[in-house]
Amino acid sequence: MRHHPPGNLLIRELDSDNREALLAIATPTEFAPGHVFSEPDDLIEHLHFIDSGFCSSVAVLEDGRTVETLMVGREGVLGVIASATPQRAHTRAVAQVAVSAQRVEALRFRALAAQRPAIRDVVADYMARLQGELEQSSACNALHHAGQRFAKWLLRCHDRVDGDTLSLTQEYLASMLGSQRTTVNEAAQGLQKAGAIAYSRGRITVLDRAALERAACECYRAGDVFRARAAD
């Protein structure tokens, strides 16, 4: 059974003075799985420094299809594009599992960051790393097959939750990967035969993380913000 130290990694990087200043304007908040933080074109009114769980930014196409564009867990901030200037959402932001976060009004955060360069800089560094992850994902989606991308995505989920079991429906997995359900099922069955996971009725249990890492493409090691942040 895996357990992570509590709290947001960015907040933990700050010295005590800056950490206390940020937490003074934050509200600890809990969100149920499926909670929608924003829809495309909504004004982003709050930043959420994730303490546990993870959220997805999901692109929504005109025909209703969806695909995940990025994942945010305790390594980062949901709504970070509004940390420097007022911004509207480009995607749907949704909690994929139960999430706890430090909720901060975007306007108040911008005022605080203008006064405290250390806070501004740690968030700017996160945004730069996130841009690198997005660029790596573009190559990944174009060049790597579904099985590799599925293994990478499961590893990223596994990094951001306690325990080894993920409750993820086939429909959700397909929408996150932009693939057909049959493609996801084939990828999951392949990983199960390899002994990496157990897969049944929307529940995925990681049995052999090393095997799952071998099945994933290089993008998991090269471009993941969580791994980079946790290693610092």
Side-chain angles (χ1 to χ4, degrees):
M1 180 70 69
R2 299 162 65 253
H3 293 286
H4 296 303
N8 182 271
L9 295 180
L10 299 182
I11 293 177
R12 284 170 52 188
E13 281 186 26
L14 296 168
D15 61 56
S16 59
D17 183 53
N18 284 298
R19 187 184 312 121
E20 290 171 8
L22 179 54
L23 292 176
I25 63 169
T27 303
T29 313
E30 305 286 333
F31 301 96
H35 175 82
V36 176
F37 296 86
S38 60
E39 292 283 2
D41 206 41
D42 284 353
L43 182 67
I44 300 175
E45 297 181 342
H46 295 89
L47 307 183
H48 294 88
F49 289 78
I50 307 300
D51 284 328
S52 66
F54 66 91
C55 308
S56 296
S57 287
V58 181
V60 183
L61 304 184
E62 289 183 354
D63 62 6
R65 288 181 297 168
T66 60
V67 63
E68 183 184 75
T69 58
L70 62 89
M71 182 186 296
V72 182
R74 63 192 184 92
E75 79 287 352
V77 188
L78 189 67
V80 71
I81 62 170
S83 62
T85 59
Q87 295 288 337
R88 293 187 178 275
H90 303 300
T91 57
R92 175 183 297 151
V94 58
Q96 301 298 1
V97 296
V99 166
S100 63
Q102 299 294 330
R103 181 182 177 102
V104 182
E105 289 184 20
L107 184 64
R108 296 186 71 186
F109 178 84
R110 291 192 291 267
L112 182 67
Q115 299 170 358
R116 291 179 173 264
I119 293 176
R120 178 199 63 208
D121 290 349
V122 77
V123 172
D125 179 71
Y126 167 69
M127 288 184 67
R129 295 187 189 219
L130 192 61
Q131 178 64 28
E133 180 180 292
L134 291 170
E135 292 170 359
Q136 187 78 28
S137 292
S138 295
C140 182
N141 292 335
L143 300 175
H144 292 146
H145 63 70
Q148 292 175 306
R149 293 188 290 114
F150 183 65
K152 178 194 74 171
W153 192 82
L154 288 180
L155 285 166
R156 298 182 71 208
C157 294
H158 192 226
D159 283 339
R160 290 164 172 81
V161 299
D162 285 332
D164 296 315
T165 299
L166 306 167
S167 296
L168 305 167
T169 66
Q170 223 176 32
E171 293 83 357
Y172 165 65
L173 291 170
S175 69
M176 291 302 97
L177 292 170
S179 303
Q180 299 294 324
R181 288 178 58 185
T182 53
T183 303
V184 171
N185 188 58
E186 288 172 4
Q189 293 300 327
L191 290 174
Q192 184 163 255
K193 288 179 182 178
I197 65 170
Y199 177 58
S200 176
R201 298 192 179 189
R203 290 174 63 86
I204 297 175
T205 300
V206 176
L207 301 177
D208 186 340
R209 185 177 167 94
L212 195 57
E213 290 187 10
R214 288 193 297 271
C217 57
E218 65 199 74
C219 301
Y220 174 66
R221 294 173 294 279
D224 187 74
V225 176
F226 182 92
R227 286 168 58 83
R229 181 64 62 188
D232 285 349

